[in-house]
Every structure is written in structure tokens, then in C-alpha cells.
Amino acid sequence: MNKLDIFVKMLSGNFDNQEQYDSLKDQDENFPYCRHVNTVCNNKIIDLDPDFKGVFLVEESYYTAKGSTHASSHLFLFTEEDGGIKLTSYEVPEGYNKNDFTYDKMKDVKLADLKLSAKFTPAIYKEKDGGFEGGSVSMFSPVLKFTLFERFFVDRLEVSESMEVNGKRTFGYDVPIIYKRTD
């Protein structure tokens, strides 16, 4: 099994932070309950070359805080490059938005119709301590900075994301969100 296969196997599946949420909700009423559903979707990219070495994945994210749930989905391409794994972000396909895009709703799409995310700086993940870790910093606008750092293991995903406007954090938490595998 190559590094990309190992990486995608760690990342694919259903995850939530129920354990972490239960331990922190009394200390921080704003700490969210979160779920990730990560599904490989190469089968829905209809014109991939048979020798295509990358893996497309739909990441469905659901965040519940203060009684309200927010959905945000993404389409990522993972490729093996320079001893690491590269995450490239794509815009959700035409006809969807980040709130309603899911693997189950995704219809077949041509590779040529997919558009790279112009705002997201690709992330690089390297093997470390039995898993993979990495991330990137993206400038979504001249004043809006998105920072991503993640660690992936067989049993869990550790995700740190933050948004800053003019250097002031507007989104993110002091600790990584720890998603445990539920499937």
C-alpha cells in the first residue's frame, strides 16, 4: 500500500468530537459538537484517466454550537508528491453550494468542469508519529487569513483551523478539534 492509500484510508469515514465535546462543553459553552463525513468520490468524476494517481474526496462538515448546526462541505484532491501528500481544494461543482453539497447528492461531473479554489493554498502532509501532519496558510483576502494545521491517525483526526481579520482571530479554538472515528 502506498502513502497516498494509507493517508486516504485514515481520512475516509465518519468522525465526530463527541468525547471532546462532552469534556469541554461545561467549561466553554461555545465549543462546538462537530462531525466529518469523508468519502472518496473518484467514481463520480466521469472522465478521469485510468492511470490517474490522485484521490478526490468530499468532506462534509457539520458544526453545532448554541443550538444551531452549520454545514460546510468541500471537494479536495489528494496527490502524492515529494514524499508527502498534497491537498488541493476545488470549488464545489456547479449547481451546489458548501451548505448542501454531499457525496450522496453529488452527480457525475467532468474533471474539466471542476475549478481549483483560487483562495486556498495547497496543504502538504508528511508522515510523523504513526500518522500524517501538515497544513497551510491561505490569504482569502488582503485582510482575511485562514490557517490550517491537521494531524491524521487511524483512529482520529486532529484539526486546528482559524480565521483572522487584520490579525484578530474571528474563528477558531484554543485546542484542536479531535474527531474520533465512529465507523
Side-chain angles (χ1 to χ4, degrees), residues 32-175:
Y33 167 72
C34 308
R35 287 188 316 116
H36 269 332
V37 179
N38 298 329
T39 310
V40 172
C41 64
N42 282 30
N43 60 312
K44 295 191 178 194
I45 315 294
I46 57 175
D47 57 349
L48 283 181
D49 185 291
D51 295 327
F52 184 75
K53 301 286 187 221
V55 176
F56 280 94
L57 182 134
V58 174
E59 177 193 80
E60 301 169 40
S61 300
Y62 304 94
Y63 303 92
T64 302
K66 299 179 183 176
S68 179
T69 298
H70 172 73
S72 180
S73 295
H74 302 277
L75 178 63
F76 296 128
L77 171 63
F78 295 95
T79 53
E80 190 168 347
E81 298 184 19
D82 299 326
I85 306 299
K86 180 180 180 182
L87 177 161
T88 305
S89 182
Y90 280 76
E91 300 296 334
V92 297
E94 191 81 24
Y96 304 95
N97 64 54
K98 289 183 180 232
N99 299 322
D100 68 5
F101 179 61
T102 66
Y103 174 82
D104 288 338
K105 290 180 183 176
M106 182 181 181
K107 292 183 172 50
D108 289 351
V109 61
K110 292 181 180 179
L111 179 61
D113 292 338
L114 296 177
K115 296 177 180 77
L116 282 172
S117 171
K119 297 177 184 177
F120 184 82
T121 301
I124 301 294
Y125 299 86
K126 300 278 187 178
E127 283 185 288
K128 185 173 180 183
D129 300 328
F132 289 85
E133 73 174 31
S136 69
V137 176
S138 302
M139 292 303 296
F140 287 176
S141 78
V143 299
L144 180 59
K145 177 178 163 182
F146 174 70
T147 303
L148 172 68
F149 181 77
E150 300 176 300
R151 298 177 67 205
F152 301 144
F153 300 93
V154 171
D155 64 334
R156 71 188 183 283
L157 313 175
E158 299 176 6
V159 179
S160 295
E161 298 173 304
S162 68
M163 298 282 260
E164 295 176 19
V165 175
N166 291 320
K168 182 179 178 188
R169 184 171 76 181
T170 58
F171 171 80
Y173 303 95
D174 294 334
V175 296

